[in-house]
Amino acid sequence: MRDTEAESRRLLGNKAWNLLRRRAQGYSVPPFFILDRNFFFRFLGDKQERYAELLRNPSEETGEEIRALLESCAFGEEAAEKLRRELQVAMPRAERFAVRSSFILEGEERHSFDGLFQSVLEVPRGDELLQAVKDCYLSCFSARATGYMLRYGLFDEDMAVAVILQEMIATVRNFVVYTTNPDSGDPEELLVVYDDAVGQQRTVLSRTGEIRRSTVSGAPDEADEVLFVRLATLAGELERDDVPTTARRFEFVEGKSGSLWLVQES
């Protein structure tokens, strides 16, 4: 079982593998399609050896050099057409996609890449979707991302990028839930970050979903109080499934029907 899990993570990256796992466990996850490491290396084509060489000898210029290498690559018409056909079969009703990177790196789960990689939202089918995939590849080797990897000695010749094409569903709000409050470091507090009509809001919850403090002025309405309990309960349940790993980050969207969908975790 462990060997199979390791092989899947190596093929898909942790983010994509976690989505597959959560869907299999019965959680609400928007439909998605994964472009795995093999798709990435086919995109590199005859530049694979140069890519591996850059990874073997990382320096401050490595990110810029890999980005230049990726910029010089293009999706062949055969590969593009194959993807269009497969996507039509797998997700025939999806009109717009969230395109997210799933970085493939040994030990990636022990590090925080929060905010370092790009997601592209509301992408239609066609050439724009392929460009968004390429943009995700490029973002994994930005100056910030490669600086982080250099600082912690994370460069690995085997590293690659998978990409998740996830259907955009009609939503009311997006919520990012940290199961350990990053502002206080308190594992008994959850932090929920979301946008409302005023701007970005930060609400600190107890483990049971009780509001401890918030940037929102005034008392919360009953519907929001219930929603925060649901978020805390769901995030806590997901985190417990990952023990001994804690301090998780989950992103949820609230559908127009009031349902909560898990869109990514790290």
Side-chain angles (χ1 to χ4, degrees):
M1 176 65 178
R2 281 293 173 186
D3 288 345
T4 302
E5 178 181 323
E7 290 170 6
S8 296
R9 287 179 184 269
R10 184 176 179 276
L11 182 67
L12 307 173
N14 282 323
K15 188 178 291 184
W17 181 82
N18 276 323
L19 282 181
L20 283 173
R21 179 169 65 113
R22 297 308 188 188
R23 184 173 65 184
Q25 290 171 336
Y27 291 99
S28 296
V29 177
F32 61 92
F33 187 85
I34 303 169
L35 306 178
D36 62 19
R37 68 181 292 120
N38 297 325
F39 191 90
F40 174 71
F41 283 113
R42 286 196 297 271
F43 173 73
L44 281 171
D46 60 7
K47 298 179 175 64
Q48 291 181 39
E49 182 52 44
R50 176 56 179 159
Y51 171 76
E53 181 184 340
L54 289 169
L55 295 179
R56 281 194 295 269
N57 303 285
S59 69
E60 292 183 0
E61 290 75 42
T62 297
E64 185 177 343
E65 291 176 311
I66 291 178
R67 285 175 62 86
L69 191 72
L70 292 169
E71 285 283 15
S72 70
C73 298
F75 293 101
E77 185 52 42
E78 183 178 341
E81 180 57 33
K82 183 173 183 290
L83 174 58
R84 282 192 282 267
R85 289 196 307 269
E86 291 177 345
L87 202 57
Q88 183 59 38
V89 171
M91 302 171 65
R93 292 188 296 273
E95 296 180 358
R96 292 187 173 270
F97 299 85
V99 183
R100 312 179 195 277
S101 59
S102 180
F103 202 43
I104 302 170
L105 171 66
E106 182 70 29
E108 181 265 342
E109 69 278 4
R110 296 192 295 272
H111 295 269
S112 173
F113 289 87
D114 190 13
L116 292 182
F117 302 146
Q118 180 180 2
S119 294
V120 190
L121 306 180
E122 298 289 354
V123 184
R125 293 177 184 267
D127 292 343
E128 289 181 59
L129 193 61
L130 290 171
Q131 183 58 52
V133 171
K134 187 172 182 176
D135 289 343
C136 282
Y137 289 160
L138 290 166
S139 76
C140 291
F141 300 98
S142 67
R144 287 183 63 214
T146 53
Y148 182 90
M149 288 186 279
L150 276 172
R151 185 158 63 251
Y152 292 100
L154 300 179
F155 273 97
D156 179 347
E157 187 179 344
D158 201 42
M159 72 197 314
V161 187
V163 171
I164 304 161
L165 310 179
Q166 190 173 59
E167 182 179 356
M168 296 287 301
I169 61 174
T171 61
V172 178
R173 284 180 292 184
N174 289 54
F175 299 92
V176 176
V177 180
Y178 297 87
T179 59
T180 292
N181 183 356
D183 295 339
S184 66
D186 187 347
E188 295 305 312
E189 292 183 340
L190 284 73
L191 175 66
V192 182
V193 181
Y194 59 99
D195 289 330
D196 62 13
V198 176
Q200 187 182 90
Q201 304 291 358
R202 302 169 75 85
T203 296
V204 177
L205 307 177
S206 70
R207 279 281 169 178
T208 56
E210 179 184 273
I211 299 173
R212 291 186 171 178
R213 53 192 179 276
S214 178
T215 56
V216 179
S217 58
D221 60 35
E222 185 177 345
D224 277 351
E225 288 183 323
V226 171
L227 179 62
F228 285 134
V229 170
R230 291 173 62 204
L231 285 168
T233 301
L234 184 53
E237 182 180 299
L238 291 165
E239 182 188 48
R240 284 191 296 276
D241 186 62
D242 286 337
V243 169
T245 304
T246 56
R248 305 292 290 165
R249 177 188 184 276
F250 300 102
E251 185 175 338
F252 302 99
V253 295
E254 179 190 9
K256 290 187 175 180
S257 65
S259 56
L260 287 174
W261 297 77
L262 175 66
V263 295
Q264 61 177 327
E265 66 176 278
S266 56

